[in-house]
Amino acid sequence: LGVGHGAYNGVVKVSQAGEFALIERLAGVLGGEAPAELLVGIGDDAAVWRSGGEALIATTDTMVEGVHFLPDAAPWADVGWKALAANVSDVAAMGGTPLFALVTLGLPPERSSRAPEALYEGLRECAAAYGVTVAGGDIVRAPQMFVTVALLGWAEMGEDGEPLLLRRDGAREGDVIAVTGALGGSAAGLLRLREGGQADDPLVRRHLRPEPRLAAGQAAVRAGIACGIDVSDGLMQDVGHVCERSGLGAEVEASRLPLSEGLAKAFPDDAVTLAASGGEDYELVLVGTAERIDGLRAALDVPLTVTGRMKAGEPRARLLDDGGAEIALTNTGFDQLRDR
Amino acid sequence: LGVGHGAYNGVVKVSQAGEFALIERLAGVLGGEAPAELLVGIGDDAAVWRSGGEALIATTDTMVEGVHFLPDAAPWADVGWKALAANVSDVAAMGGTPLFALVTLGLPPERSSRAPEALYEGLRECAAAYGVTVAGGDIVRAPQMFVTVALLGWAEMGEDGEPLLLRRDGAREGDVIAVTGALGGSAAGLLRLREGGQADDPLVRRHLRPEPRLAAGQAAVRAGIACGIDVSDGLMQDVGHVCERSGLGAEVEASRLPLSEGLAKAFPDDAVTLAASGGEDYELVLVGTAERIDGLRAALDVPLTVTGRMKAGEPRARLLDDGGAEIALTNTGFDQLRDR
């Protein structure tokens, strides 16, 4: 983020360009004319494709050993759960319903067969919880274990024959920014896990077994809300994606962030930072008029907290203290490729 | 292949179980009741899902640096082409038409941005050649470069409202086994590449830029042919998959194998072995009555050669010499996980 195009017009290391600049650059290589069937392409939580009278939602997410999970800390079954859950969350962030998944497993040949079996077992549990069918996949030899899930789903159709979707570019000036559930628990759980924490710690469990907000996303599109994203990279970074795609600024009030249970007690000094930038909470950010957000609350079985507002101006998200001053975050969220 | 379940009921290395045994074992973990919408699940070239009045085809393939391609020998653009082409071939092997792809790139952060850009450029060329839209994807940090493509397509519907598909379990006793194009060129090209061969060598080009037989697969289902597979692992192994799924044996006559141009001259002693077990030719094996295979020939712009026949008996494929004796192949094809 914030890396201008001029800075990497030549040959650079991918760590210098960063994940988001590289995605943009590669989107240019792939670009060309998109067919009319492609309703949503690169740059949202998932792609949307019109097929006959239906709108298909397609997304993919990967977890690599040593990068996205620590093989000694995260049980393989939890890796399997999370690999699918991250994709279900993408479909939730479009307001859709998942259908079926393809699962690719990269495996070092010397690995015990217990690891892939436990991974698939956790994946099966997540599939059962969210009504997903595992329809196929691939197993490949690889130097490190990784799992890639591709998930297909569908979007409900509106009366006008257009699909009901939560899009990153759907925010309007004056819309309020609401968040489902609570934030910061996953990042706190990761810290606990690194210190030897176990799955009986609710924060650790929140990190290992995230519960995507599928029903909330579906209820949101039915309530006429047109903008949303899931909290995967970190709240401020994810709200920042909405800003860029919608051409608006955003103000988020730190004191209104819903903190995960036990977070303030466990990390009194860092609770707000973890909630604002921790990532992997897989909550939904929903952006719409105050009336529609209020109306949605009754339809949800999770809390929905208004934390900020979309404003005209520079397309970035600012975190404000009670006096209205901006709080600087040193770590604004996760970037796949930058050196950390 | 040929590893009984009893042999790995406990904990073993995945290299001992082998790719196909592990897929079967994992399919058991995932198993449970498949919904009626899943028309074809794990065990064919692609999954098929009924959605409204349509039948979606979904497949995924991965190429890992150092495993599926040699970073010093294969230009990145060719890696990109082949990563998508392997998926297009899976859709061709179902008789379908591709629609859109999701592309996941695993990248070491210290890598030059040239590599992913060249890879995407080759992928774009393949997408343009086969009418595929790149709709989205993911970029992740990984210790070794890899590319995973998930491809969605559709199957034409028959008059009975059922999709027209080439299935591995669609062979009948007495059906003839036909192969499009020519075999062995890709494996020969890989040998040439390892000896410093360049892309101006037709065998090398065949290895680096395979051309999936999309039109042939579509013509085959329209001609009433119900069984097919693509030659990715190696002809005898791939015909073996048809045997297992159809519960039949197969006899393939070595003297009738269509050899790639230049293959016999370049590798006079190994030409038949390369054609029978070399893999990655991405031709189609089509299995049907002699009349239907004959009738199909006129509709194709590639040669179609009858090379054998399905028989009752042990479900495996046997390669025969002119005297009818079985030719033993030491390398029957590619297994992702076995030590080689």
Side-chain angles (χ1 to χ4, degrees):
Chain A
L1 281 172
V3 177
H5 284 265
Y8 53 94
N9 247 343
V11 179
V12 297
K13 287 184 190 176
V14 296
S15 58
Q16 288 172 279
E19 177 189 1
F20 303 103
L22 195 64
I23 288 175
E24 214 173 302
R25 191 162 177 172
L26 295 174
V29 175
L30 291 170
E33 286 166 50
E37 289 89 347
L38 185 67
L39 303 181
V40 180
I42 293 168
D44 214 307
D45 291 287
V48 183
W49 184 272
R50 186 189 291 276
S51 174
E54 300 190 72
L56 301 173
I57 298 174
T59 186
T60 184
D61 260 295
T62 294
M63 292 178 69
V64 180
E65 183 176 0
V67 178
H68 306 95
F69 61 93
L70 308 169
D72 297 330
W76 290 110
D78 294 330
V79 174
W81 172 285
K82 198 167 177 174
L84 180 54
N87 284 278
V88 172
S89 184
D90 283 332
V91 172
M94 301 304 290
T97 303
L99 291 170
F100 67 92
L102 303 178
V103 179
T104 298
L105 204 53
L107 279 179
E110 70 279 7
R111 192 60 64 89
S112 150
S113 64
R114 277 263 168 90
E117 282 172 28
L119 189 148
Y120 275 62
E121 179 57 32
L123 204 145
R124 193 191 58 73
E125 289 169 25
C126 186
Y130 290 95
V132 176
T133 300
V134 177
D138 198 14
I139 295 181
V140 297
R141 174 190 287 239
Q144 229 121 337
M145 208 157 154
F146 72 86
V147 53
T148 298
V149 176
L151 182 61
L152 257 283
W154 60 277
E156 211 167 298
M157 281 292 174
E159 288 172 8
D160 60 354
E162 295 299 317
L164 301 176
L165 293 171
L166 299 172
R167 298 174 61 130
R168 293 183 181 182
D169 62 6
R172 301 285 166 85
E173 192 182 336
D175 278 353
V176 300
I177 300 164
V179 183
T180 62
L183 297 171
S186 176
L190 177 60
L191 294 174
R192 282 281 177 86
L193 202 56
R194 285 180 174 153
E195 296 160 357
Q198 299 294 318
D200 58 355
D201 178 338
L203 293 172
V204 170
R205 190 164 170 83
R206 176 121 175 118
H207 179 72
L208 294 177
R209 295 253 173 172
E211 294 175 9
R213 301 304 188 184
L214 200 52
Q218 293 163 347
V221 291
R222 284 181 203 137
I225 293 166
C227 178
I229 190 169
D230 68 333
V231 182
S232 53
D233 296 330
L235 176 71
M236 295 309 294
Q237 182 166 307
D238 290 317
V239 173
H241 295 319
V242 170
C243 290
E244 286 155 35
R245 304 285 299 178
S246 295
L248 292 171
E251 288 177 359
V252 174
E253 295 174 53
S255 63
R256 297 174 79 176
L257 293 179
L259 304 184
S260 286
E261 203 182 322
L263 176 63
K265 195 175 169 191
F267 297 93
D269 297 335
D270 299 322
V272 167
T273 301
L274 289 169
S277 64
E280 294 204 343
D281 282 313
Y282 297 110
E283 296 291 353
L284 290 186
V285 174
L286 299 170
V287 181
T289 63
E291 293 70 26
R292 285 189 171 156
I293 294 290
D294 270 346
L296 172 62
R297 201 169 275 119
L300 299 186
D301 55 0
V302 286
L304 184 67
T305 308
V306 171
T307 61
R309 191 174 283 273
M310 303 302 297
K311 304 245 169 178
E314 193 191 352
R316 71 182 190 92
R318 303 191 309 142
L319 183 67
L320 304 182
D321 67 17
D322 282 345
E326 184 168 358
I327 300 172
L329 290 168
T330 48
N331 176 12
T332 55
F334 187 65
D335 187 303
Q336 292 281 352
L337 301 173
R338 285 190 190 284
D339 300 319
R340 279 161 293 175
Chain B
L1 282 171
V3 177
H5 284 264
Y8 54 93
N9 247 343
V11 180
V12 296
K13 287 184 190 176
V14 297
S15 58
Q16 289 171 280
E19 177 189 1
F20 302 104
L22 195 64
I23 287 175
E24 215 173 301
R25 192 162 176 170
L26 295 174
V29 175
L30 291 170
E33 286 165 49
E37 290 88 347
L38 185 67
L39 303 180
V40 180
I42 294 167
D44 214 307
D45 291 286
V48 182
W49 184 272
R50 186 189 292 276
S51 174
E54 300 190 73
L56 302 173
I57 298 173
T59 186
T60 185
D61 260 294
T62 294
M63 291 178 70
V64 180
E65 183 176 2
V67 178
H68 305 94
F69 60 95
L70 308 169
D72 298 331
W76 289 111
D78 295 331
V79 173
W81 172 285
K82 198 166 176 174
L84 180 55
N87 284 278
V88 172
S89 185
D90 282 332
V91 171
M94 301 305 290
T97 303
L99 291 170
F100 67 92
L102 304 177
V103 179
T104 299
L105 204 55
L107 279 179
E110 71 279 7
R111 192 60 64 88
S112 150
S113 65
R114 277 264 168 89
E117 281 172 30
L119 189 149
Y120 275 62
E121 179 56 33
L123 204 146
R124 193 192 60 73
E125 288 169 25
C126 186
Y130 291 95
V132 175
T133 299
V134 177
D138 198 14
I139 295 181
V140 297
R141 174 191 286 240
Q144 229 123 336
M145 208 157 152
F146 72 84
V147 53
T148 298
V149 176
L151 181 63
L152 258 283
W154 60 276
E156 209 167 299
M157 282 292 175
E159 289 172 8
D160 60 355
E162 295 299 316
L164 301 176
L165 293 171
L166 299 171
R167 298 174 60 130
R168 294 183 180 181
D169 62 6
R172 301 285 166 86
E173 192 181 334
D175 278 353
V176 299
I177 300 165
V179 184
T180 62
L183 298 171
S186 177
L190 177 59
L191 293 174
R192 281 282 177 84
L193 202 55
R194 285 180 174 153
E195 295 159 358
Q198 299 294 318
D200 59 354
D201 178 338
L203 294 172
V204 169
R205 192 167 168 79
R206 177 122 175 115
H207 179 72
L208 294 177
R209 295 253 172 172
E211 294 175 9
R213 301 303 188 185
L214 200 52
Q218 294 163 348
V221 290
R222 285 182 202 136
I225 292 167
C227 178
I229 190 169
D230 69 332
V231 182
S232 53
D233 296 330
L235 176 71
M236 295 310 293
Q237 183 165 306
D238 290 318
V239 173
H241 295 320
V242 170
C243 291
E244 285 155 36
R245 303 286 297 179
S246 295
L248 292 170
E251 288 177 357
V252 174
E253 294 174 53
S255 63
R256 298 173 78 176
L257 294 179
L259 303 184
S260 286
E261 204 181 322
L263 176 63
K265 195 175 168 191
F267 296 93
D269 297 335
D270 298 321
V272 167
T273 301
L274 289 168
S277 65
E280 294 203 345
D281 282 312
Y282 297 110
E283 296 291 353
L284 290 185
V285 174
L286 299 170
V287 180
T289 63
E291 293 69 26
R292 285 189 171 156
I293 293 289
D294 270 345
L296 172 63
R297 201 169 274 119
L300 300 185
D301 56 359
V302 287
L304 185 66
T305 308
V306 172
T307 60
R309 192 175 283 272
M310 303 302 298
K311 303 245 168 178
E314 193 190 353
R316 71 184 191 92
R318 304 191 309 142
L319 183 66
L320 304 182
D321 67 17
D322 282 345
E326 185 168 357
I327 300 173
L329 290 168
T330 48
N331 177 11
T332 54
F334 187 65
D335 186 304
Q336 292 280 354
L337 300 174
R338 284 189 192 284
D339 299 319
R340 278 160 293 176

